[in-house]
């Protein structure tokens, strides 16, 4: 009985020791679990922080790349603008050079006219006229000394119509006039010698009779100019019929004048800005005319043009 009691006591002690061991083990397991959990949380937080940091680095890199692309686009745009600007500057420079060259040529031509009025009718016209005078001094003309150029005897009374007047009678302005066939041939030879072959009219001994002009309220080319030489006046009338060429201010005036056809003794109607108006059959029409190239042959005082 005593042995059984002792065994029971020993067994109870063993059970208690075992329970304590289990309790200690459970506490150890709990403590280790807590430590591991803490370590895992710290590791996870470190890992998450590292991920966040890397994401921040990526965003920063993206921003820098975007900024770099924007800067490159701006540089490219600026380069394109600079290239276009250079091309535009070169084009403007080229145009300015051309305008300057044309301006210098026009000024030289005007100065030449100022120095020698005859130069307006051709660069070799002064030499031709000098030779004509030489022939006169030598008595080599059969008839009278040749007259011309015709434009030397013409003065415009209505300057606003100067362009259209010169357009209409320009073909005769550089012409010379002789009164016989022998002198015509002699003048042609002079032209060949100096390198200038002028248009030559042969005047008739028969005087021009009364000319047919339109109503006095109409301005004609003949009424808009003064011609100081009678022979030149007759030849201009024969060649160009200026007494029947009417001048108006604008196309509207021309349409009103010609809506039912040309008035009596009118062959054509022109505006100051180089338009031909109407027709002899009536109705409305206008045609733009191309101005004569080069400086005016009817300019007397060219000082204002040079300035």
């Amino acid at each position: 009985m005593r042995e059984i009691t002792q065994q029971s006591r020993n067994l109870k002690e063993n059970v208690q020791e075992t329970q304590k061991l289990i309790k200690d083990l459970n506490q150890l397991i709990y403590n280790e679990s807590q430590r591991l959990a803490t370590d895992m949380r710290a590791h996870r937080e470190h890992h998450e922080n590292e991920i966040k940091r890397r994401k921040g680095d990526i965003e920063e890199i993206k921003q820098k790349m975007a900024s770099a692309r924007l800067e490159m686009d701006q540089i490219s745009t600026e380069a394109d603008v600079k290239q276009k600007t250079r091309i535009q500057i070169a084009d403007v420079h080229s145009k300015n050079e051309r305008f300057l060259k044309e301006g210098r040529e026009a000024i030289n031509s005007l100065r030449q006219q100022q120095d020698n009025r005859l130069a307006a009718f051709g660069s070799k016209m002064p030499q031709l006229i000098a030779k004509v005078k030489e022939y006169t001094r030598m008595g080599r003309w059969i008839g009278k000394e040749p007259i011309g150029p015709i434009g030397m005897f013409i003065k415009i009374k209505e300057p606003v119509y100067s362009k259209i007047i010169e357009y209409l009678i320009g073909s005769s302005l550089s012409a010379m006039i002789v009164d016989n066939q022998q002198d015509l041939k002699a003048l042609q030879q002079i032209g060949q010698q100096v390198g200038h072959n002028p248009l030559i009219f042969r005047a008739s001994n028969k005087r021009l009779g009364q000319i047919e002009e339109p109503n006095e309220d109409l301005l004609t080319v003949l009424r808009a100019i003064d011609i100081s030489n009678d022979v030149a006046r007759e030849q201009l009338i024969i060649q160009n019929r200026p007494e029947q060429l009417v001048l108006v201010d604008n196309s509207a005036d021309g349409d009103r004048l010609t809506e039912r056809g040309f008035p009596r003794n009118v062959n054509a109607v022109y505006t100051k800005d180089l338009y031909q108006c109407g027709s002899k059959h009536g109705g409305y029409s206008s045609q733009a005319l191309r101005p004569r190239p080069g400086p005016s042959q009817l300019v007397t005082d060219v000082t204002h043009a040079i300035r």
Side-chain angles (χ1 to χ4, degrees), residues 12-22 24:
K12 184 177 180 181
E13 288 176 355
N14 288 337
V15 169
Q16 288 176 347
E17 288 178 2
T18 300
Q19 288 177 339
K20 184 176 182 302
L21 179 61
I22 290 172
D24 290 341

Side-chain angles (χ1 to χ4, degrees), residues 154-281:
I154 297 176
K155 180 180 180 181
I156 296 179
K157 296 190 293 185
E158 301 289 343
V160 69
Y161 294 103
S162 59
K163 288 184 180 180
I164 187 62
I165 290 173
E166 189 159 354
Y167 175 87
L168 295 171
I169 63 174
S171 60
S172 299
L173 296 179
S174 298
M176 302 290 293
I177 306 170
V178 297
D179 58 11
N180 62 83
Q181 188 64 25
Q182 294 91 329
D183 287 344
L184 187 148
K185 291 182 179 179
L187 187 56
Q188 288 175 336
Q189 291 176 352
I190 291 175
Q192 292 174 358
Q193 292 173 15
V194 302
H196 180 77
N197 296 311
L199 180 63
I200 304 174
F201 300 144
R202 181 178 171 182
S204 171
N205 291 327
K206 184 179 179 181
R207 296 295 87 186
L208 188 66
Q210 185 177 1
I211 58 176
E212 296 180 344
E213 297 184 86
N215 293 340
E216 292 183 359
D217 61 335
L218 297 179
L219 178 65
T220 64
V221 171
L222 188 62
R223 290 167 180 167
I225 59 177
D226 276 329
I227 308 176
S228 58
N229 184 285
D230 290 339
V231 177
R233 181 178 183 276
E234 289 187 359
Q235 285 301 310
L236 189 69
I237 291 173
I238 292 171
Q239 301 297 330
N240 300 95
R241 304 299 298 274
E243 76 281 7
Q244 295 188 354
L245 304 178
V246 171
L247 306 175
V248 294
D249 189 54
N250 51 55
S251 297
D253 291 342
D255 288 340
R256 283 192 292 270
L257 182 64
T258 63
E259 61 180 343
R260 296 181 181 178
F262 291 149
R264 182 180 62 88
N265 294 333
V266 173
N267 280 339
V269 177
Y270 300 91
T271 70
K272 63 183 180 183
D273 51 356
L274 298 176
Y275 278 88
Q276 183 174 358
C277 302
S279 72
K280 63 181 179 180
H281 303 295

Side-chain angles (χ1 to χ4, degrees), residues 109-110 113 116-123 125 149-156 162-163 165-175 196 292-302:
S109 177
L110 289 169
Q113 288 182 48
N116 190 333
R117 178 71 180 90
L118 292 170
F121 305 96
S123 60
M125 182 62 81
I150 289 177
M152 285 291 292
F153 306 104
I154 297 176
K155 180 180 180 181
I156 296 179
S162 59
K163 288 184 180 180
I165 290 173
E166 189 159 354
Y167 175 87
L168 295 171
I169 63 174
S171 60
S172 299
L173 296 179
S174 298
H196 180 77
R292 289 171 56 84
S296 173
Q297 292 180 315
L298 296 179
V299 172
T300 300
D301 182 8
V302 297

Side-chain angles (χ1 to χ4, degrees), residues 17-34:
E17 288 178 2
T18 300
Q19 288 177 339
K20 184 176 182 302
L21 179 61
I22 290 172
K23 183 179 179 181
D24 290 341
L25 286 174
N26 284 333
Q27 184 65 41
L28 182 63
I29 290 170
Y30 174 77
N31 292 339
E32 188 63 21
S33 296
Q34 288 295 107

